[in-house]
């Protein structure tokens, strides 16, 4: 689910409808902790020839990294 945030970023880069299936997703939990909200920093790392890859970093309000996720599609 977290890696799927990359799909929105990729779709926003193109005017055509480019719905595609995910090739892979990963989630790496760094340091879980309770907080009221989480910032999802989503970045498209690259897109070419029908493939795209991106990453998501999840941060607490006070700047601690909770987890990282990625998706290729």
């Amino acid at each position: 689910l977290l890696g799927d945030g990359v799909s929105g970023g990729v779709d926003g880069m193109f005017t055509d409808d480019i719905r595609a299936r995910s090739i892979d997703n990963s989630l790496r939990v760094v340091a879980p902790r309770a907080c009221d909200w989480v910032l999802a920093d989503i970045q498209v790392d690259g897109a070419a020839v029908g493939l795209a890859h991106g990453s998501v970093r999840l941060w607490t309000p006070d700047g601690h990294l909770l987890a990282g996720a990625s998706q290729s599609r």
Side-chain angles (χ1 to χ4, degrees):
L1 176 65
L2 297 172
D4 286 340
V6 171
S7 296
V10 171
D11 292 343
M13 292 174 53
F14 301 98
T15 56
D16 295 334
D17 184 4
I18 59 164
R19 291 182 196 151
R21 302 221 186 276
S22 295
I23 296 170
D24 71 323
N25 283 290
S26 67
L27 172 66
R28 305 287 188 251
V29 177
V30 176
R33 63 173 60 193
C35 57
D36 293 332
W37 58 271
V38 173
L39 172 69
D41 177 18
I42 302 169
Q43 178 174 335
V44 176
D45 299 321
V49 195
L51 297 173
H53 181 79
S55 54
V56 180
R57 286 172 192 79
L58 303 176
W59 301 92
T60 64
D62 58 351
H64 292 279
L65 180 63
L66 296 169
S70 66
Q71 181 185 68
S72 296
R73 60 179 278 196

